[in-house]
Amino acid sequence: MYDKVCVACGTRLSEFYQTYMLGCPKCYASFEREITLAIKKTHGAVEHTGKIPKTDGIDKQLLTEYQNLIKEKENLAIDGKFSRIKEVSDDLLRLSEELKKRGLL
Ligand SMILES: [Zn+2]
């Protein structure tokens, strides 16, 4: 199987599948498709057993990434690194859409 690697921190997609942990905020963008699929699978399994879904590892992880990105964006603004702010804003937008879909935002 093709193993994707996050260009920012070097976390492999196979590692994500093992731990369900993201190495850095960029991982979410790198593995967006796979993460979405993994989330769907997890939710399917939860619905199948009839249990009430709790905030799982990915939910927490996504919220943490979101908060980290907000902090990063603030720091970039302070440092005047405006070209990076655009990138971070795009990541934030993607994450906030995912969080809204999951009822976390
Ligand atoms: Zn990464």
Side-chain angles (χ1 to χ4, degrees):
M1 199 178 87
Y2 175 65
D3 202 5
K4 271 195 199 174
V5 179
C6 171
V7 289
C9 72
T11 295
R12 289 172 186 281
L13 184 58
S14 56
E15 286 171 338
F16 165 72
Y17 280 135
Q18 278 166 17
T19 61
Y20 284 88
M21 295 287 283
L22 299 171
C24 76
K26 286 277 166 205
C27 288
Y28 183 77
S30 307
F31 307 145
E32 191 177 13
R33 242 177 71 87
E34 290 78 5
I35 290 169
T36 308
L37 282 173
I39 288 166
K40 275 186 193 158
K41 267 190 214 167
T42 311
H43 275 196
V46 168
E47 277 163 20
H48 194 68
T49 56
K51 284 181 187 163
I52 300 157
K54 286 181 189 163
T55 304
D56 58 28
I58 291 186
D59 282 341
K60 270 189 215 154
Q61 192 75 18
L62 289 177
L63 277 171
T64 307
E65 300 291 357
Y66 186 71
Q67 283 153 4
N68 286 344
L69 279 177
I70 288 170
K71 265 184 242 159
E72 196 184 335
K73 196 176 160 183
E74 283 170 2
N75 288 335
L76 288 170
I78 291 163
D79 294 344
K81 293 174 182 165
F82 297 109
S83 57
R84 281 279 296 133
I85 289 174
K86 172 84 177 71
E87 274 177 58
V88 174
S89 299
D90 288 347
D91 288 348
L92 261 176
L93 193 69
R94 267 198 295 269
L95 260 177
S96 68
E97 277 169 6
E98 183 62 33
L99 288 168
K100 275 178 202 158
K101 254 189 264 169
R102 315 192 76 203
L104 296 170
L105 208 69

